[in-house]
C-alpha cells in the first residue's frame, strides 16, 4: 500500500473476498468454515487434496476485493451488487474476527480495506478455487430492477438458426472445402480487462 509492504504470508491461502449486498452472518460463517477446512494441500505421504490450511498450520492472507461482485454490462463493469463501503468494511472486519476465533489469530493476515493495493500472489500449481456461499431462496419482491430486466431478457431471448433449414438438410460432400464439420467457427466470449 503506497509503496510499503503491510502484510505477507508464507505457505497458505490467499483469500480474495467479494462481499455482496445480500451477504449475511450466515454466509460469513459458511465461508469461514469452508476456507479453513478446504482440503487443497497434500499430506505427509504426498497425497494431494488431503489437508486443510488448519491441518498444516499454514497462514491465511485476506484481501477485500469488491470487483469480484462485478456484473458486465457489455464491456463495462457494474458493481451494484457489491455491498456499500461502510457496510462492507464492518462485514469484512467481522469476517477476519471470525477467522481468527476459529483458527490461530496470528496466522490470519489482511491487507488494508479500501486501499489501492499491489497484491503479489505466487500460486502453487497454480490452484485457484472459487467458493460461494449457498444460494439463499430469493423472494421475487427483493430482486433489483436490473435483475428483473436481466430475467426478462433471458426469458425472451430466442435462438437464431446458424444456417437455413435448406442448408441444414442438404447433405455435405466431405471433399467440399466449404463443408464444415462444425468443429471450427466463431467462438467469442467476454473477457475481463
Amino acid at each position: 500500500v503506497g509503496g510499503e509492504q503491510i502484510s505477507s504470508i508464507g505457505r497458505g491461502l490467499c483469500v480474495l473476498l467479494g462481499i455482496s449486498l445480500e451477504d449475511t452472518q450466515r454466509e460469513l460463517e459458511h465461508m469461514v468454515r469452508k476456507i479453513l477446512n478446504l482440503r487443497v494441500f497434500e499430506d505427509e505421504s504426498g497425497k494431494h487434496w488431503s489437508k486443510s490450511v488448519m491441518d498444516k498450520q499454514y497462514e491465511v492472507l485476506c484481501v477485500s476485493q469488491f470487483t469480484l461482485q462485478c456484473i458486465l454490462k457489455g464491456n463495462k463493469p457494474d458493481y451494484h451488487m457489491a455491498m456499500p463501503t461502510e457496510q462492507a468494511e464492518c462485514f469484512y472486519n467481522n469476517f477476519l474476527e471470525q477467522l481468527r476465533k476459529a483458527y490461530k489469530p496470528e496466522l490470519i493476515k489482511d491487507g488494508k480495506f479500501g486501499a489501492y493495493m499491489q497484491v503479489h500472489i505466487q500460486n502453487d500449481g497454480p490452484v485457484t478455487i472459487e467458493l460461494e456461499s449457498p444460494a439463499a431462496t430469493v423472494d421475487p419482491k427483493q430482486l433489483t430492477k436490473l435483475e428483473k430486466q436481466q430475467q426478462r431478457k433471458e426469458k425472451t431471448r430466442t435462438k437464431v438458426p446458424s444456417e437455413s433449414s435448406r442448408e441444414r438438410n442438404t447433405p455435405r460432400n466431405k471433399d467440399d472445402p466449404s463443408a464444415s464439420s462444425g468443429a471450427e467457427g466463431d467462438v467469442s466470449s467476454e473477457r475481463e480487462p
Side-chain angles (χ1 to χ4, degrees):
V1 176
E4 178 188 344
Q5 182 174 313
I6 62 164
S7 197
S8 70
I9 63 169
R11 218 148 140 82
L13 297 175
C14 179
V15 175
L16 304 176
L17 182 70
I19 305 169
S20 164
L21 271 172
E22 291 136 5
D23 286 334
T24 65
Q25 184 67 28
R26 181 173 162 253
E27 284 82 20
L28 184 148
E29 290 167 1
H30 173 83
M31 294 308 291
V32 166
R33 274 192 315 276
K34 275 293 189 194
I35 288 165
L36 294 178
N37 292 292
L38 185 67
R39 294 184 301 173
V40 293
F41 300 104
E42 59 187 39
D43 66 14
E44 294 72 28
S45 66
K47 182 179 175 192
H48 294 286
W49 314 107
S50 300
K51 298 290 183 178
S52 71
V53 71
M54 289 198 309
D55 294 333
K56 300 293 275 186
Q57 300 294 296
Y58 287 162
E59 296 173 290
V60 179
L61 174 64
C62 298
V63 179
S64 177
Q65 184 91 23
F66 78 94
T67 61
L68 290 170
Q69 294 301 320
C70 166
I71 294 174
L72 288 180
K73 286 181 165 181
N75 291 322
K76 183 179 180 188
D78 180 309
Y79 300 105
H80 80 280
M81 290 304 294
M83 189 178 282
T85 305
E86 299 76 28
Q87 281 179 275
E89 185 170 14
C90 182
F91 192 95
Y92 179 69
N93 288 332
N94 191 11
F95 173 76
L96 291 171
E97 184 181 319
Q98 295 301 316
L99 274 174
R100 289 179 175 126
K101 280 182 184 176
Y103 190 33
K104 296 182 174 182
E106 67 277 8
L107 297 181
I108 305 296
K109 310 284 178 77
D110 68 319
K112 184 172 181 185
F113 185 90
Y116 180 81
M117 292 178 277
Q118 294 289 316
V119 181
H120 300 276
I121 303 170
Q122 183 177 341
N123 268 350
D124 188 2
V127 173
T128 304
I129 297 174
E130 182 177 328
L131 297 177
E132 291 216 17
S133 55
T137 307
V138 179
D139 178 356
K141 294 175 188 172
Q142 295 176 339
L143 291 175
T144 66
K145 184 178 176 182
L146 181 61
E147 289 169 321
K148 288 178 183 177
Q149 288 171 348
Q150 287 174 339
Q151 284 182 347
R152 280 195 298 272
K153 284 179 188 176
E154 288 173 11
K155 286 179 184 175
T156 59
R157 197 175 287 153
T158 58
K159 290 189 175 184
V160 179
S162 60
E163 37 184 283
S164 71
S165 58
R166 194 181 101 212
E167 288 174 326
R168 248 192 331 264
N169 295 329
T170 305
R172 294 184 184 236
N173 181 343
K174 67 178 182 180
D175 297 325
D176 180 0
S178 68
S180 171
S181 67
E184 54 197 61
D186 179 52
V187 178
S188 61
S189 65
E190 300 240 1
R191 292 191 301 172
E192 290 187 30

